[in-house]
DNA sequence: AACACGGGGCC
DNA sequence: GGCCCAGTGTT
């Protein structure tokens, strides 16, 4: 792929999300101040990223802020390998917020397919409409304006700021949390919930200059995704292997393991809702009550789930108790 | 702070 | 069969 150039004149293009070939700062001259621990970590991870970054389409040099925003929403709890084909089809069909804003919601939900959490698709369309109404159709700059959009939380606002606009942001996803928990904190995994201490640590690790902050955000996430993985981390390939607090401590087990409880799946409302949504996506017309109840054994639970889908705006009911995707 | 919210792939 | 994934919105 072509590495984006930080000096590109296009304000929305050329943020440093692609692989770099530079060697980082402060090496070799001997005239600079001693590098901090955080600087050494950033340089090591940044150099690793320059050689190992994946060639993902939302990082390409011709990316748009809208494409980045779409990718970030899709990547909320859905792995990269499943997002990539859906993302390509999505941005080809709806290349701008205005295009998505004008689309029939049923088409949007069908294009979302099996990415999971279909409320995200609804919020993304609401987000597109808000961008048209509040920002003239352009993805806004600034984390406050981004956070005010539907479906955009702390992570996504920071990610769009860094990856789409090339500006400083503290981007902390599950990968970054794990990298910092291990390399700095010495624990197997971060705490179940994102703590204020973690936010402070992440803020301290993010360098101030825009280009360096963007590189650190990309590189730390990529390290967590490819090497410092939740299960079976590849410590032998890690640029931090000689300084990682967790590895140096002998990779102790996860201290929070007892508190992480598994969500059962079979028989849940989530499964029932998913069943209904899948049938509506794949079918052409409305689903009548008979077809609906053939999807699920428990009639009372199904009625409850359909009602919740209607409440969420994912489904509309007709006079006979059948349902359709929203128009 | 805790919970609800999809779906698939991996060990 | 448990666990995890570029989280967000609600209570």
């Amino acid at each position: 792929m072509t590495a984006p150039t930080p000096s590109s004149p296009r304000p929305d293009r050329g943020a440093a999300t692609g692989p770099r070939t530079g060697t980082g700062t402060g090496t070799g001259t001997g005239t600079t101040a001693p590098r901090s621990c955080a600087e050494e970590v950033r340089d090591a991870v940044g150099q690793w990223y320059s050689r190992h970054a994946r060639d993902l389409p939302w990082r390409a040099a011709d990316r748009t802020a809208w494409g980045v925003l779409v990718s970030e929403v899709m990547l909320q709890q859905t792995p990269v390998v499943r997002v990539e084909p859906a993302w390509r089809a999505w941005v080809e069909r709806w290349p701008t917020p205005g295009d998505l804003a004008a689309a029939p919601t049923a088409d949007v939900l069908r294009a979302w397919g099996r990415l999971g959490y279909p409320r995200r698709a609804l919020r993304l369309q609401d987000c597109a409409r808000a961008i048209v109404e509040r920002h003239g159709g352009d993805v806004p700059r600034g984390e406050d304006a981004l956070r005010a959009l539907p479906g955009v939380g702390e992570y996504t606002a920071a990610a769009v700021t860094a990856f789409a606009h090339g500006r400083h942001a503290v981007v902390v996803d599950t990968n970054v949390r794990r990298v910092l928990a291990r390399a700095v904190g010495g624990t197997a995994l971060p705490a179940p919930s994102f703590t204020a201490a973690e936010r402070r640590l992440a803020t301290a690790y993010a360098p101030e200059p825009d280009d360096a902050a963007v590189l650190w955000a990309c590189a730390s996430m990529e390290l967590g995704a490819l090497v410092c993985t939740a299960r079976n981390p590849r410590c032998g390939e890690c640029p931090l292997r000689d300084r990682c607090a967790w590895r140096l401590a002998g990779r102790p087990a996860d201290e929070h393991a007892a508190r992480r409880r598994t969500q059962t799946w079979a028989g849940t409302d989530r499964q029932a809702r998913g069943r209904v949504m899948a049938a509506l996506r794949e079918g052409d017309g409305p689903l009548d009550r008979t077809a609906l109840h053939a999807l699920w054994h428990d009639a009372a639970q199904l009625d409850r789930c359909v009602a919740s889908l209607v409440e969420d705006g994912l489904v509309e009911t007709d006079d006979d108790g059948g349902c359709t995707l929203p128009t």
Side-chain angles (χ1 to χ4, degrees), chain A residues 185-202:
Chain A
T187 60
L189 292 171
S193 57
F194 186 44
T195 64
E198 280 184 278
R199 186 179 287 101
R200 281 195 298 275
L201 180 66

Side-chain angles (χ1 to χ4, degrees), chain A residues 2-249:
Chain A
T2 21
T5 50
S7 57
S8 167
R10 293 292 298 276
D12 259 339
R13 310 292 175 100
T17 56
R20 297 287 202 79
T21 52
T23 56
T25 59
T27 55
T29 68
T31 61
T32 52
R35 296 156 74 233
S36 71
C37 176
E39 284 174 308
E40 294 182 2
V41 166
R42 292 194 299 253
D43 281 354
V45 176
Q47 290 178 41
W48 171 87
Y49 181 75
S50 73
R51 287 177 289 116
H52 294 100
R54 289 170 291 182
D55 190 7
L56 300 173
W58 45 85
R59 288 180 182 157
D62 66 346
R63 68 188 174 282
T64 65
W66 171 240
V68 171
L69 176 52
V70 170
S71 80
E72 294 302 340
V73 173
M74 287 184 171
L75 288 163
Q76 293 166 1
Q77 300 290 280
T78 305
V80 165
V81 287
R82 290 174 51 208
V83 163
E84 189 165 342
W87 182 89
R88 291 182 188 280
W90 190 284
V91 296
E92 180 172 358
R93 186 172 184 181
W94 298 301
T96 71
D99 297 319
L100 185 67
T105 300
D107 290 0
V108 173
L109 290 170
R110 286 197 175 95
W112 192 260
R114 316 184 78 146
L115 291 180
Y117 295 135
R119 293 188 298 189
R120 288 183 294 163
L122 238 39
R123 292 196 193 111
L124 187 52
Q125 187 174 39
D126 288 342
C127 177
R129 291 173 173 160
I131 289 172
V132 169
E133 290 169 13
R134 302 175 201 164
H135 304 288
D138 294 322
V139 175
R141 296 167 175 278
E143 295 188 61
D144 290 342
L146 287 164
R147 283 280 321 239
L149 298 171
V152 177
E154 177 177 1
Y155 163 78
T156 302
V160 170
T161 296
F163 304 149
H165 297 142
R167 300 292 308 277
H168 168 94
V170 181
V171 183
V172 189
D173 73 333
T174 188
N175 291 304
V176 177
R177 291 186 65 208
R178 188 173 53 248
V179 167
L180 291 177
R182 286 178 179 163
V184 183
T187 60
L189 292 171
S193 57
F194 186 44
T195 64
E198 280 184 278
R199 186 179 287 101
R200 281 195 298 275
L201 180 66
T203 301
Y205 266 74
E208 208 45 50
D210 288 336
D211 284 359
V214 173
L215 177 59
W216 166 246
C218 295
S220 56
M221 287 174 62
E222 195 78 337
L223 185 68
L226 298 182
V227 172
C228 192
T229 52
R231 284 175 302 187
N232 306 123
R234 304 156 77 175
C235 296
E237 303 171 28
C238 182
L240 304 179
R241 60 185 172 277
D242 294 329
R243 69 171 73 242
C244 173
W246 181 56
R247 184 166 178 269
L248 293 174

